[in-house]
Structure formats: C-alpha cells, structure tokens
Short mmCIF file of all heavy atoms in Angstrom, two decimals:
data_model
loop_
_atom_site.label_atom_id
_atom_site.label_comp_id
_atom_site.label_asym_id
_atom_site.label_seq_id
_atom_site.Cartn_x
_atom_site.Cartn_y
_atom_site.Cartn_z
N ALA O 1 16.79 4.36 6.62
CA ALA O 1 16.82 3.22 5.72
C ALA O 1 17.63 2.12 6.33
O ALA O 1 18.59 2.35 7.05
CB ALA O 1 17.40 3.71 4.40
N ALA O 2 17.24 0.92 5.99
CA ALA O 2 17.95 -0.23 6.52
C ALA O 2 19.25 -0.42 5.82
O ALA O 2 19.42 -0.23 4.67
CB ALA O 2 17.13 -1.49 6.29
N THR O 3 20.30 -0.74 6.62
CA THR O 3 21.56 -1.03 6.04
C THR O 3 22.05 -2.34 6.61
O THR O 3 21.76 -2.73 7.73
CB THR O 3 22.62 0.08 6.33
OG1 THR O 3 22.73 0.18 7.81
CG2 THR O 3 22.20 1.38 5.75
N ALA O 4 22.77 -3.12 5.75
CA ALA O 4 23.35 -4.37 6.11
C ALA O 4 24.36 -4.83 5.13
O ALA O 4 24.35 -4.30 3.99
CB ALA O 4 22.19 -5.42 6.21
N ALA O 5 25.13 -5.81 5.46
CA ALA O 5 26.08 -6.34 4.51
C ALA O 5 25.22 -7.11 3.45
O ALA O 5 24.41 -7.95 3.84
CB ALA O 5 27.01 -7.24 5.19
N VAL O 6 25.51 -6.84 2.21
CA VAL O 6 24.75 -7.55 1.11
C VAL O 6 25.79 -8.36 0.36
O VAL O 6 26.82 -7.78 -0.02
CB VAL O 6 24.09 -6.54 0.21
CG1 VAL O 6 23.40 -7.19 -0.97
CG2 VAL O 6 23.08 -5.67 1.03
N PRO O 7 25.50 -9.52 0.03
CA PRO O 7 26.41 -10.31 -0.79
C PRO O 7 26.62 -9.69 -2.17
O PRO O 7 25.67 -9.06 -2.66
CB PRO O 7 25.79 -11.74 -0.93
CG PRO O 7 24.32 -11.52 -0.54
CD PRO O 7 24.29 -10.28 0.32
N ALA O 8 27.78 -9.83 -2.72
CA ALA O 8 28.03 -9.30 -4.06
C ALA O 8 27.24 -10.12 -5.01
O ALA O 8 27.33 -11.32 -5.13
CB ALA O 8 29.59 -9.44 -4.40
N VAL O 9 26.32 -9.44 -5.78
CA VAL O 9 25.51 -10.02 -6.75
C VAL O 9 25.43 -9.19 -7.98
O VAL O 9 25.98 -8.10 -8.04
CB VAL O 9 24.05 -10.32 -6.23
CG1 VAL O 9 24.04 -11.36 -5.18
CG2 VAL O 9 23.42 -9.08 -5.78
N ALA O 10 24.71 -9.62 -8.96
CA ALA O 10 24.70 -9.01 -10.28
C ALA O 10 24.33 -7.50 -10.29
O ALA O 10 24.75 -6.87 -11.28
CB ALA O 10 23.73 -9.82 -11.15
N PRO O 11 23.54 -6.87 -9.37
CA PRO O 11 23.23 -5.50 -9.56
C PRO O 11 24.43 -4.61 -9.81
O PRO O 11 24.37 -3.64 -10.52
CB PRO O 11 22.46 -5.12 -8.35
CG PRO O 11 21.82 -6.36 -7.93
CD PRO O 11 22.86 -7.44 -8.23
N ALA O 12 25.55 -5.01 -9.21
CA ALA O 12 26.73 -4.15 -9.41
C ALA O 12 27.14 -4.08 -10.87
O ALA O 12 27.68 -3.12 -11.32
CB ALA O 12 27.88 -4.70 -8.54
N ARG O 13 26.91 -5.19 -11.58
CA ARG O 13 27.27 -5.25 -13.02
C ARG O 13 26.37 -4.31 -13.84
O ARG O 13 26.73 -3.95 -14.93
CB ARG O 13 27.24 -6.65 -13.51
CG ARG O 13 25.84 -7.10 -13.83
CD ARG O 13 25.80 -8.40 -14.57
NE ARG O 13 24.42 -8.77 -14.75
CZ ARG O 13 23.80 -9.80 -14.24
NH1 ARG O 13 24.45 -10.68 -13.43
NH2 ARG O 13 22.59 -10.04 -14.44
N HIS O 14 25.18 -4.01 -13.29
CA HIS O 14 24.23 -3.20 -14.10
C HIS O 14 24.66 -1.75 -14.16
O HIS O 14 24.22 -1.04 -15.01
CB HIS O 14 22.83 -3.32 -13.49
CG HIS O 14 22.25 -4.65 -13.59
ND1 HIS O 14 21.95 -5.23 -14.79
CD2 HIS O 14 21.88 -5.54 -12.66
CE1 HIS O 14 21.45 -6.44 -14.60
NE2 HIS O 14 21.39 -6.63 -13.31
N GLY O 15 25.47 -1.29 -13.25
CA GLY O 15 25.89 0.04 -13.23
C GLY O 15 24.65 0.98 -12.96
O GLY O 15 24.72 2.11 -13.36
N SER O 16 23.65 0.45 -12.39
CA SER O 16 22.43 1.26 -12.09
C SER O 16 22.46 1.87 -10.73
O SER O 16 23.18 1.42 -9.84
CB SER O 16 21.24 0.30 -12.23
OG SER O 16 21.18 -0.61 -11.16
N PRO O 17 21.64 2.88 -10.57
CA PRO O 17 21.49 3.48 -9.23
C PRO O 17 21.07 2.44 -8.18
O PRO O 17 21.49 2.50 -7.05
CB PRO O 17 20.48 4.57 -9.40
CG PRO O 17 20.54 4.91 -10.80
CD PRO O 17 20.87 3.63 -11.56
N ILE O 18 20.27 1.47 -8.62
CA ILE O 18 19.79 0.49 -7.69
C ILE O 18 20.96 -0.40 -7.28
O ILE O 18 21.10 -0.80 -6.13
CB ILE O 18 18.61 -0.38 -8.34
CG1 ILE O 18 17.44 0.56 -8.50
CG2 ILE O 18 18.27 -1.56 -7.48
CD1 ILE O 18 16.28 -0.04 -9.30
N GLY O 19 21.82 -0.74 -8.23
CA GLY O 19 23.01 -1.50 -7.88
C GLY O 19 23.85 -0.75 -6.86
O GLY O 19 24.46 -1.35 -5.95
N ALA O 20 23.97 0.56 -7.00
CA ALA O 20 24.79 1.36 -6.09
C ALA O 20 24.18 1.33 -4.67
O ALA O 20 24.87 1.22 -3.72
CB ALA O 20 24.85 2.81 -6.65
N LEU O 21 22.82 1.39 -4.71
CA LEU O 21 22.14 1.29 -3.31
C LEU O 21 22.46 -0.01 -2.69
O LEU O 21 22.73 -0.04 -1.47
CB LEU O 21 20.62 1.49 -3.53
CG LEU O 21 20.15 2.85 -3.90
CD1 LEU O 21 18.67 2.84 -4.28
CD2 LEU O 21 20.43 3.81 -2.79
N LEU O 22 22.43 -1.13 -3.43
CA LEU O 22 22.78 -2.44 -2.82
C LEU O 22 24.20 -2.42 -2.35
O LEU O 22 24.51 -2.88 -1.26
CB LEU O 22 22.60 -3.50 -3.81
CG LEU O 22 21.21 -4.10 -3.96
CD1 LEU O 22 21.20 -5.27 -4.99
CD2 LEU O 22 20.64 -4.51 -2.64
N ALA O 23 25.14 -1.89 -3.18
CA ALA O 23 26.55 -1.84 -2.74
C ALA O 23 26.77 -1.02 -1.48
O ALA O 23 27.67 -1.32 -0.76
CB ALA O 23 27.38 -1.26 -3.92
N GLU O 24 25.92 -0.03 -1.35
CA GLU O 24 26.01 0.83 -0.09
C GLU O 24 25.33 0.21 1.06
O GLU O 24 25.37 0.68 2.21
CB GLU O 24 25.39 2.19 -0.39
CG GLU O 24 26.14 3.02 -1.40
CD GLU O 24 25.31 4.21 -1.92
OE1 GLU O 24 24.21 4.48 -1.38
OE2 GLU O 24 25.83 4.90 -2.83
N GLY O 25 24.54 -0.89 0.82
CA GLY O 25 23.86 -1.58 1.89
C GLY O 25 22.47 -0.99 2.20
O GLY O 25 21.82 -1.33 3.17
N ASP O 26 21.97 -0.12 1.27
CA ASP O 26 20.65 0.43 1.43
C ASP O 26 19.63 -0.48 0.83
O ASP O 26 19.05 -0.20 -0.20
CB ASP O 26 20.60 1.84 0.86
CG ASP O 26 19.44 2.63 1.32
OD1 ASP O 26 18.49 2.08 1.85
OD2 ASP O 26 19.44 3.86 1.11
N ILE O 27 19.42 -1.62 1.45
CA ILE O 27 18.59 -2.71 0.92
C ILE O 27 17.15 -2.28 0.76
O ILE O 27 16.54 -2.54 -0.33
CB ILE O 27 18.74 -3.93 1.83
CG1 ILE O 27 20.14 -4.39 1.89
CG2 ILE O 27 17.85 -5.06 1.30
CD1 ILE O 27 20.42 -5.44 2.96
N ALA O 28 16.54 -1.67 1.76
CA ALA O 28 15.17 -1.29 1.68
C ALA O 28 14.88 -0.34 0.48
O ALA O 28 13.91 -0.52 -0.22
CB ALA O 28 14.67 -0.66 2.95
N ARG O 29 15.72 0.60 0.33
CA ARG O 29 15.52 1.57 -0.78
C ARG O 29 15.77 0.88 -2.14
O ARG O 29 15.03 1.15 -3.10
CB ARG O 29 16.42 2.75 -0.60
CG ARG O 29 16.16 3.87 -1.59
CD ARG O 29 16.82 5.16 -1.19
NE ARG O 29 16.89 6.06 -2.36
CZ ARG O 29 17.78 6.96 -2.56
NH1 ARG O 29 18.80 7.10 -1.68
NH2 ARG O 29 17.75 7.73 -3.60
N ALA O 30 16.77 0.08 -2.18
CA ALA O 30 17.06 -0.65 -3.44
C ALA O 30 15.81 -1.52 -3.85
O ALA O 30 15.39 -1.46 -5.03
CB ALA O 30 18.27 -1.54 -3.27
N GLU O 31 15.26 -2.21 -2.88
CA GLU O 31 14.09 -3.01 -3.19
C GLU O 31 12.93 -2.14 -3.60
O GLU O 31 12.18 -2.44 -4.61
CB GLU O 31 13.68 -3.87 -2.00
CG GLU O 31 12.43 -4.75 -2.27
CD GLU O 31 12.05 -5.59 -1.14
OE1 GLU O 31 12.28 -5.27 0.04
OE2 GLU O 31 11.36 -6.64 -1.45
N ALA O 32 12.61 -1.04 -2.86
CA ALA O 32 11.54 -0.18 -3.16
C ALA O 32 11.72 0.39 -4.60
O ALA O 32 10.75 0.42 -5.40
CB ALA O 32 11.48 0.95 -2.17
N GLU O 33 12.88 0.84 -4.95
CA GLU O 33 13.09 1.42 -6.25
C GLU O 33 13.05 0.42 -7.36
O GLU O 33 12.48 0.67 -8.44
CB GLU O 33 14.42 2.17 -6.29
CG GLU O 33 14.34 3.49 -5.43
CD GLU O 33 15.48 4.43 -5.66
OE1 GLU O 33 16.08 4.39 -6.76
OE2 GLU O 33 15.63 5.33 -4.82
N ALA O 34 13.60 -0.81 -7.08
CA ALA O 34 13.52 -1.83 -8.13
C ALA O 34 12.14 -2.33 -8.37
O ALA O 34 11.67 -2.46 -9.55
CB ALA O 34 14.38 -3.00 -7.72
N GLU O 35 11.28 -2.39 -7.35
CA GLU O 35 9.93 -2.87 -7.55
C GLU O 35 9.10 -1.76 -8.16
O GLU O 35 8.19 -2.09 -8.98
CB GLU O 35 9.35 -3.32 -6.21
CG GLU O 35 9.95 -4.62 -5.66
CD GLU O 35 9.85 -5.82 -6.63
OE1 GLU O 35 8.80 -6.01 -7.24
OE2 GLU O 35 10.86 -6.43 -6.86
N ALA O 36 9.38 -0.52 -7.84
CA ALA O 36 8.61 0.56 -8.46
C ALA O 36 8.95 0.62 -9.95
O ALA O 36 8.03 0.83 -10.81
CB ALA O 36 8.93 1.91 -7.77
N ALA O 37 10.15 0.51 -10.32
CA ALA O 37 10.60 0.54 -11.71
C ALA O 37 9.96 -0.68 -12.49
O ALA O 37 9.53 -0.55 -13.62
CB ALA O 37 12.18 0.46 -11.79
N ARG O 38 9.98 -1.79 -11.82
CA ARG O 38 9.42 -3.04 -12.42
C ARG O 38 7.88 -2.81 -12.65
O ARG O 38 7.38 -3.23 -13.71
CB ARG O 38 9.68 -4.22 -11.47
CG ARG O 38 9.02 -5.50 -11.89
CD ARG O 38 9.52 -6.51 -10.89
NE ARG O 38 8.78 -7.82 -11.13
CZ ARG O 38 7.81 -8.30 -10.34
NH1 ARG O 38 7.47 -7.70 -9.29
NH2 ARG O 38 7.21 -9.42 -10.74
N ALA O 39 7.18 -2.26 -11.72
CA ALA O 39 5.74 -2.10 -11.83
C ALA O 39 5.45 -0.99 -12.93
O ALA O 39 4.48 -1.13 -13.62
CB ALA O 39 5.18 -1.64 -10.47
N ALA O 40 6.32 -0.03 -13.08
CA ALA O 40 6.05 1.03 -14.05
C ALA O 40 6.25 0.53 -15.48
O ALA O 40 5.63 1.09 -16.41
CB ALA O 40 6.98 2.21 -13.78
N ALA O 41 7.04 -0.53 -15.67
CA ALA O 41 7.34 -1.03 -17.01
C ALA O 41 7.58 -2.57 -16.94
O ALA O 41 8.65 -2.99 -17.05
CB ALA O 41 8.51 -0.33 -17.61
N PRO O 42 6.53 -3.30 -16.63
CA PRO O 42 6.66 -4.72 -16.53
C PRO O 42 7.21 -5.49 -17.67
O PRO O 42 7.79 -6.55 -17.55
CB PRO O 42 5.23 -5.21 -16.17
CG PRO O 42 4.31 -4.14 -16.51
CD PRO O 42 5.10 -2.88 -16.54
N GLY O 43 7.15 -4.90 -18.90
CA GLY O 43 7.71 -5.53 -20.07
C GLY O 43 9.15 -5.23 -20.31
O GLY O 43 9.78 -5.71 -21.25
N ASN O 44 9.80 -4.37 -19.39
CA ASN O 44 11.18 -4.02 -19.58
C ASN O 44 12.06 -5.08 -18.96
O ASN O 44 12.09 -5.22 -17.73
CB ASN O 44 11.37 -2.65 -18.94
CG ASN O 44 12.75 -2.12 -19.11
OD1 ASN O 44 13.71 -2.68 -18.58
ND2 ASN O 44 12.86 -0.95 -19.80
N ALA O 45 12.82 -5.76 -19.80
CA ALA O 45 13.66 -6.88 -19.34
C ALA O 45 14.68 -6.44 -18.30
O ALA O 45 14.91 -7.12 -17.28
CB ALA O 45 14.33 -7.57 -20.55
N HIS O 46 15.36 -5.27 -18.58
CA HIS O 46 16.38 -4.80 -17.68
C HIS O 46 15.81 -4.58 -16.28
O HIS O 46 16.42 -4.98 -15.28
CB HIS O 46 17.02 -3.54 -18.24
CG HIS O 46 18.07 -2.99 -17.35
ND1 HIS O 46 19.33 -3.55 -17.21
CD2 HIS O 46 18.06 -1.90 -16.53
CE1 HIS O 46 20.06 -2.82 -16.36
NE2 HIS O 46 19.31 -1.84 -15.94
N ARG O 47 14.64 -3.92 -16.22
CA ARG O 47 14.07 -3.68 -14.91
C ARG O 47 13.67 -5.00 -14.18
O ARG O 47 13.84 -5.06 -12.95
CB ARG O 47 12.77 -2.81 -15.06
CG ARG O 47 13.15 -1.36 -15.45
CD ARG O 47 11.98 -0.52 -15.69
NE ARG O 47 12.41 0.78 -16.10
CZ ARG O 47 11.61 1.85 -16.12
NH1 ARG O 47 10.38 1.73 -15.63
NH2 ARG O 47 12.05 3.05 -16.46
N GLN O 48 13.25 -5.96 -14.90
CA GLN O 48 12.91 -7.29 -14.26
C GLN O 48 14.16 -7.89 -13.82
O GLN O 48 14.17 -8.49 -12.65
CB GLN O 48 12.21 -8.19 -15.30
CG GLN O 48 10.82 -7.76 -15.73
CD GLN O 48 9.82 -7.99 -14.63
OE1 GLN O 48 10.03 -8.58 -13.62
NE2 GLN O 48 8.64 -7.48 -14.89
N LEU O 49 15.24 -7.84 -14.53
CA LEU O 49 16.55 -8.46 -14.12
C LEU O 49 17.06 -7.77 -12.89
O LEU O 49 17.53 -8.45 -11.92
CB LEU O 49 17.58 -8.34 -15.21
CG LEU O 49 17.41 -9.31 -16.42
CD1 LEU O 49 18.35 -8.90 -17.50
CD2 LEU O 49 17.52 -10.72 -16.08
N VAL O 50 17.02 -6.48 -12.87
CA VAL O 50 17.50 -5.74 -11.67
C VAL O 50 16.67 -6.07 -10.45
O VAL O 50 17.21 -6.31 -9.38
CB VAL O 50 17.55 -4.21 -11.95
CG1 VAL O 50 17.88 -3.45 -10.63
CG2 VAL O 50 18.60 -3.84 -12.97
N ALA O 51 15.37 -6.11 -10.65
CA ALA O 51 14.47 -6.50 -9.51
C ALA O 51 14.80 -7.86 -9.03
O ALA O 51 14.70 -8.16 -7.82
CB ALA O 51 13.00 -6.29 -9.95
N GLY O 52 15.04 -8.73 -9.96
CA GLY O 52 15.36 -10.21 -9.60
C GLY O 52 16.68 -10.19 -8.79
O GLY O 52 16.82 -10.92 -7.79
N ASP O 53 17.64 -9.40 -9.28
CA ASP O 53 18.94 -9.40 -8.62
C ASP O 53 18.85 -8.88 -7.15
O ASP O 53 19.44 -9.34 -6.23
CB ASP O 53 19.95 -8.52 -9.40
CG ASP O 53 20.37 -9.13 -10.68
OD1 ASP O 53 20.15 -10.36 -10.88
OD2 ASP O 53 20.93 -8.38 -11.52
N VAL O 54 17.93 -7.87 -7.04
CA VAL O 54 17.73 -7.38 -5.65
C VAL O 54 17.14 -8.39 -4.77
O VAL O 54 17.50 -8.61 -3.63
CB VAL O 54 16.83 -6.07 -5.67
CG1 VAL O 54 16.40 -5.63 -4.30
CG2 VAL O 54 17.58 -4.90 -6.39
N GLN O 55 16.14 -9.11 -5.28
CA GLN O 55 15.47 -10.19 -4.51
C GLN O 55 16.53 -11.30 -4.15
O GLN O 55 16.54 -11.79 -3.00
CB GLN O 55 14.36 -10.81 -5.25
CG GLN O 55 13.19 -9.90 -5.39
CD GLN O 55 12.62 -9.40 -4.07
OE1 GLN O 55 12.40 -10.21 -3.17
NE2 GLN O 55 12.36 -8.15 -3.97
N LEU O 56 17.40 -11.54 -5.07
CA LEU O 56 18.44 -12.52 -4.83
C LEU O 56 19.36 -12.06 -3.65
O LEU O 56 19.77 -12.81 -2.79
CB LEU O 56 19.29 -12.84 -6.06
CG LEU O 56 20.16 -14.09 -6.08
CD1 LEU O 56 19.32 -15.34 -5.84
CD2 LEU O 56 20.86 -14.12 -7.41
N ALA O 57 19.74 -10.76 -3.74
CA ALA O 57 20.61 -10.17 -2.67
C ALA O 57 19.89 -10.22 -1.35
O ALA O 57 20.57 -10.26 -0.28
CB ALA O 57 20.96 -8.75 -3.05
N LEU O 58 18.57 -10.18 -1.31
CA LEU O 58 17.81 -10.23 -0.10
C LEU O 58 17.64 -11.65 0.43
O LEU O 58 17.06 -11.90 1.46
CB LEU O 58 16.46 -9.57 -0.28
CG LEU O 58 16.49 -8.05 -0.42
CD1 LEU O 58 15.12 -7.56 -0.94
CD2 LEU O 58 16.84 -7.40 0.91
N GLY O 59 18.14 -12.66 -0.30
CA GLY O 59 18.01 -14.01 0.08
C GLY O 59 16.64 -14.64 -0.26
O GLY O 59 16.19 -15.52 0.41
N ARG O 60 16.02 -14.10 -1.33
CA ARG O 60 14.74 -14.59 -1.73
C ARG O 60 14.77 -15.12 -3.12
O ARG O 60 14.36 -14.56 -4.10
CB ARG O 60 13.73 -13.41 -1.71
CG ARG O 60 13.60 -12.73 -0.37
CD ARG O 60 12.67 -11.51 -0.46
NE ARG O 60 12.64 -10.80 0.76
CZ ARG O 60 12.35 -9.52 0.81
NH1 ARG O 60 12.08 -8.82 -0.27
NH2 ARG O 60 12.30 -8.91 1.95
N PRO O 61 15.38 -16.33 -3.28
CA PRO O 61 15.55 -16.94 -4.65
C PRO O 61 14.23 -17.17 -5.36
O PRO O 61 14.24 -17.03 -6.64
CB PRO O 61 16.29 -18.24 -4.33
CG PRO O 61 16.03 -18.56 -2.92
CD PRO O 61 15.85 -17.25 -2.21
N ASP O 62 13.15 -17.56 -4.68
CA ASP O 62 11.93 -17.74 -5.38
C ASP O 62 11.39 -16.44 -6.00
O ASP O 62 10.91 -16.43 -7.18
CB ASP O 62 10.87 -18.39 -4.44
CG ASP O 62 11.21 -19.83 -4.08
OD1 ASP O 62 12.00 -20.45 -4.80
OD2 ASP O 62 10.70 -20.21 -3.02
N ALA O 63 11.47 -15.37 -5.26
CA ALA O 63 11.05 -14.07 -5.76
C ALA O 63 11.98 -13.64 -6.97
O ALA O 63 11.47 -13.04 -7.94
CB ALA O 63 11.06 -13.05 -4.69
N ALA O 64 13.25 -13.89 -6.83
CA ALA O 64 14.19 -13.60 -7.92
C ALA O 64 13.84 -14.37 -9.17
O ALA O 64 13.75 -13.79 -10.28
CB ALA O 64 15.60 -13.84 -7.49
N LEU O 65 13.58 -15.63 -8.99
CA LEU O 65 13.20 -16.46 -10.19
C LEU O 65 11.96 -16.00 -10.87
O LEU O 65 11.89 -15.98 -12.09
CB LEU O 65 13.07 -17.94 -9.67
CG LEU O 65 12.88 -18.96 -10.80
CD1 LEU O 65 14.02 -18.87 -11.85
CD2 LEU O 65 12.79 -20.36 -10.22
N GLU O 66 10.98 -15.58 -10.07
CA GLU O 66 9.73 -15.03 -10.66
C GLU O 66 10.08 -13.84 -11.54
O GLU O 66 9.50 -13.77 -12.65
CB GLU O 66 8.79 -14.63 -9.49
CG GLU O 66 7.52 -13.91 -9.95
CD GLU O 66 6.78 -13.38 -8.78
OE1 GLU O 66 6.79 -13.90 -7.67
OE2 GLU O 66 6.11 -12.30 -9.01
N ARG O 67 10.90 -12.97 -11.11
CA ARG O 67 11.27 -11.82 -11.93
C ARG O 67 12.11 -12.18 -13.14
O ARG O 67 11.90 -11.66 -14.19
CB ARG O 67 11.99 -10.79 -11.03
CG ARG O 67 11.01 -10.08 -10.10
CD ARG O 67 11.54 -9.75 -8.69
NE ARG O 67 10.58 -9.14 -7.85
CZ ARG O 67 9.66 -9.83 -7.14
NH1 ARG O 67 9.62 -11.12 -7.22
NH2 ARG O 67 8.80 -9.23 -6.41
N TYR O 68 13.01 -13.11 -12.94
CA TYR O 68 13.83 -13.56 -14.08
C TYR O 68 12.94 -14.25 -15.14
O TYR O 68 13.14 -14.00 -16.36
CB TYR O 68 14.91 -14.47 -13.66
CG TYR O 68 15.97 -13.93 -12.77
CD1 TYR O 68 16.60 -14.66 -11.74
CD2 TYR O 68 16.37 -12.59 -12.85
CE1 TYR O 68 17.57 -14.18 -10.89
CE2 TYR O 68 17.36 -12.02 -12.00
CZ TYR O 68 17.92 -12.85 -11.06
OH TYR O 68 18.89 -12.31 -10.22
N ARG O 69 12.01 -14.99 -14.68
CA ARG O 69 11.06 -15.65 -15.61
C ARG O 69 10.22 -14.67 -16.41
O ARG O 69 9.85 -14.91 -17.59
CB ARG O 69 10.13 -16.63 -14.90
CG ARG O 69 10.82 -17.89 -14.55
CD ARG O 69 9.91 -18.89 -13.86
NE ARG O 69 10.61 -20.14 -13.63
CZ ARG O 69 10.35 -20.94 -12.62
NH1 ARG O 69 9.34 -20.64 -11.79
NH2 ARG O 69 11.01 -22.05 -12.51
N ALA O 70 9.89 -13.57 -15.80
CA ALA O 70 9.19 -12.46 -16.46
C ALA O 70 9.88 -11.97 -17.68
O ALA O 70 9.28 -11.48 -18.71
CB ALA O 70 8.83 -11.33 -15.51
N VAL O 71 11.22 -12.04 -17.74
CA VAL O 71 12.03 -11.60 -18.82
C VAL O 71 11.81 -12.48 -20.08
O VAL O 71 11.65 -11.95 -21.19
CB VAL O 71 13.51 -11.68 -18.50
CG1 VAL O 71 14.36 -11.32 -19.74
CG2 VAL O 71 13.81 -10.68 -17.41
N ALA O 72 11.49 -13.76 -19.82
CA ALA O 72 11.25 -14.69 -20.90
C ALA O 72 9.84 -14.63 -21.49
O ALA O 72 9.57 -15.22 -22.57
CB ALA O 72 11.61 -16.09 -20.45
N ARG O 73 8.94 -13.97 -20.80
CA ARG O 73 7.56 -13.90 -21.27
C ARG O 73 7.35 -12.94 -22.37
O ARG O 73 7.99 -12.00 -22.58
CB ARG O 73 6.60 -13.60 -20.09
CG ARG O 73 6.51 -14.68 -19.13
CD ARG O 73 5.40 -14.37 -18.10
NE ARG O 73 5.75 -15.10 -16.90
CZ ARG O 73 5.79 -14.59 -15.72
NH1 ARG O 73 5.54 -13.32 -15.52
NH2 ARG O 73 6.14 -15.31 -14.61
#
C-alpha cells in the first residue's frame, strides 16, 4: 500500500477506520475504502463526507467538492 505524509484534514474528526488509514498514511487503501463505502450507499451523507475528506487529503479539491455537494442532494 502507498504511504506518504498526509495533511491533517477532517477524516481524523470522523473517528472512522478510513480516518485512521489516512492518519497512518495508507492513502491508497483509505481512498479505496471510502469510494467503496460511497458507492454502496450513495445517499449516506457521512460516507459522502468521508470520501470528500479523503479526496481533499489527496489534493483533489474538485473531487472533494463533488462528494460534499452530493450531501446536499
């Protein structure tokens, strides 16, 4: 799995396993799990927020915004 320094972002506040993966620097796995969770329940706001936070941590603000906007739909 890919590891790297990840900026401190909101996933840590979620107390989720995905947030823990980001904190550990396991970016690839965090993204894979966040996107799988999002796809499994696209109407779940928490899953959309976590997926957005992961995208933000990856330096992808447009992808993060797409996920955050899905919360408002």
Side-chain angles (χ1 to χ4, degrees):
T3 59
V6 177
V9 294
R13 77 169 179 247
H14 293 296
S16 70
I18 294 168
L21 290 171
L22 276 182
E24 294 166 4
D26 196 346
I27 300 167
R29 187 166 165 209
E31 181 181 25
E33 291 196 17
E35 291 303 313
R38 176 177 173 253
N44 183 296
H46 179 75
R47 290 179 181 193
Q48 292 288 351
L49 288 171
V50 171
D53 292 344
V54 170
Q55 292 301 314
L56 196 59
L58 290 167
R60 301 177 187 153
D62 292 338
L65 187 56
E66 175 187 328
R67 286 144 182 83
Y68 295 146
R69 284 184 175 148
V71 173
R73 290 186 205 131

